[in-house]
Amino acid sequence: MEKDTLIRTRHDGWLRLTLNRPNKLNSLTAPMLEDWLAAVTEAAGDKTVRAILIDANGRAFCAGQDLSERKTTDSQDTDLGDSLQKRYNPLIQALRQTPKPIVCAVNGVAAGAGANLALACDIVLAAQSAVFIQAFSRIGLIPDCGGSWFLPRLAGSGRAAAIAMLAEKITAETAAQWGMIWRVVADEQLAAESEQLLESLAASSASANAATKKLLNVAADNTLTQQLALEAEQQHLAGFTPDYREGVAAFTEKRLPRFNQA
Ligand code: T3D
């Protein structure tokens, strides 16, 4: 069995998860997906982890499902619905539901599940040379891992069908212009910029970030009335947190806030 296909590295206040099958363009195997889910689930309950970075080794970010794991010639074909329900869908849900901010640093091609796992993260930084490909239709599949949900919401319904059906390369620049990702940076700056982002998230208010993520997760499906009510509910809670007291004290004393580092 392959070892260390997902490397966990602890930093001060944040966790780095590195996809590590560079020779296979970090395509995803069952053990790798299981490790990834376990890492995100454990981090969700770990107070010392205040933010998570997902990055990758080698020239690609992730080429999606490892197609060499899939038989296509006999009745042993894998039930892909089953594969999604068992491994991919729980991982997408974990990325969305964990209260920690998740940054994804896309260093190269992100194809199929690789593209949509990136889009499921909260903040996506991409290197200038990175590309996103909804490769599914090229092999007779549909956009999974939330692709059919994320694309119309991020890029708009006018673009979603073309992105999914044509499976063309979307450059990092275009992805940023279309609102699919946060920012494009020079290739050689990706590591430094993503680390800086993680340090800044680790120093920010964990309780505010968790509540913000909760609000953004449901915003697209709520009416304005529902969302305003939810904001009032979350702000009611936020107003009683130590982070709010510290934030206001720091503002008044003209210093940087020291949010709970527990
Ligand atoms: O199955 C389920 O459980 C359901 C869930 C499905 C989710 C999915 O992700 S389905 C979509 C699967 N992914 C793809 O269809 C993408 C396949 N790969 C590509 O289209 C291209 O490789 C890329 C566009 C990603 C990169 O192209 P390029 O020209 O930079 O590299 P390449 O030469 O095509 O690939 C380099 C090597 O990586 C090559 O191996 P070799 O010839 O050097 O030994 C290639 O076979 C291998 N590779 C690339 N992608 C995969 C892969 N090996 C296995 N699985 C892959 N997905």
Side-chain angles (χ1 to χ4, degrees), residues 21-25 27-28 33 59-60 62-70 78-84 87-88 109-114 131 133-136 138-139 141-142 144-145 169:
R21 293 185 82 219
N23 298 339
K24 301 284 178 189
L25 304 192
S27 56
L28 300 159
L33 287 162
R59 73 172 171 95
C62 173
Q65 168 63 39
D66 183 335
L67 295 174
S68 68
E69 270 192 351
R70 298 286 172 257
T78 309
D79 178 338
L80 302 189
D82 203 42
S83 158
L84 292 179
R87 298 194 182 85
Y88 284 98
V109 62
V131 292
I133 312 175
Q134 295 292 322
F136 306 93
R138 293 183 183 180
I139 56 168
L141 296 183
I142 55 94
D144 59 22
C145 295
K169 286 183 183 173

